[in-house]
Amino acid sequence: MTVNILAVGDVVGAIGLRYLRKRLPALIEENDVFFTVVNGENASDVGLTPQQAEDMFNAGADVVTLGNHAFRQRSVHEYLNECGYILRPANYAPQTPGRGYGLFDTELGPVAVINLIGRVNMDYGPNNPFLMADEILTEVAEARIKLLDFHAEATSEKIAMGFMLDGQVTAVWGTHTHVPTADARVLPKGTGYITDLGMTGPRDSVIGIRPELSIEKFRGGLYSRYKPADGPCVLSGALFTVDADTGLCTAVKQLTV
């Protein structure tokens, strides 16, 4: 027996959230999805609010993961402690709000979801994600299906995490760069992998931002606060086909809809 796991890339701005709410329910139904994880850390451009998280759950997300903007909206701090279905990176300092991994009940038993953040070119220095991954795996050993959202900048850091966990977890996917990568595959020992899912947001943009604002910054000019672009949107992610008996991946498909 196989089941399908859907991972959806960073939701960017109100326009991206609207598109997620429009497309995700049908995508889940069309692909007979068993479990869905959505990265929501840019729903408020930077960070997200409790209502935006609830909108994602209502659209079909089973778990919402975050990243380097996890705490930017103060309204979410208490919510992170109260809601068991939203995760911030586990390798942030332990006194920060929320949790970094969880076991989630399903008809096939618990599914483990882990959220980690990389250390290369990120805002500030989290704990070592590679050592933290080892620690967490001992805590979620009862779960046959184990999923990891690695929110990181460097492709090498993400790929290294995939190979380190190959055969130990069901799937490792990268988030943060907002650009989908062309390397969706099953690693040699059975872990599904993709370096970056991409984003859910405006297609004609610079990683979700109005192009003229980003261009002006790179040209060295005076630029205003970044604002999400308008126009048509895309939802980017990956579909992992999983052997329910072994918890290992049998196929991975990159999605852009």
Side-chain angles (χ1 to χ4, degrees), residues 1 3-5 33-36 62-63 85 102-113 142-145 147 244:
M1 175 184 175
V3 294
N4 292 325
I5 307 291
V33 172
F34 171 70
F35 197 87
T36 301
D62 292 293
V63 173
Y85 297 90
L103 291 166
F104 303 94
D105 292 333
T106 74
E107 61 190 48
L108 295 179
V111 170
V113 183
E142 66 184 274
R144 186 175 293 114
I145 296 175
L147 311 171

Side-chain angles (χ1 to χ4, degrees), residues 204-223:
D204 299 326
S205 68
V206 177
I207 62 171
I209 302 304
R210 296 179 184 180
E212 64 272 16
L213 299 178
S214 188
I215 292 168
E216 186 64 17
K217 177 182 178 180
F218 286 119
R219 285 176 60 86
L222 299 175
Y223 58 95

Side-chain angles (χ1 to χ4, degrees), residues 6-13 16-17 19-20 24 27 36-43 56 61 63-66 149-151 158 173-181 194-202 234-240 254-257:
L6 177 62
V8 177
D10 310 40
V11 177
V12 179
L17 182 55
Y19 192 71
L20 180 86
L24 185 60
L27 192 62
T36 301
V37 181
V38 175
N39 187 288
E41 73 129 17
N42 286 118
M56 293 177 193
V63 173
V64 171
T65 52
L66 299 172
D149 177 346
F150 191 27
H151 196 81
K158 297 180 192 182
W173 60 79
T175 54
H176 180 65
T177 67
H178 294 198
V179 178
T181 53
I194 185 170
T195 297
D196 203 282
L197 297 175
M199 70 171 186
T200 299
V234 294
L235 183 155
S236 296
L239 190 70
F240 300 87
Q254 195 273 332
L255 297 175
T256 301
V257 295

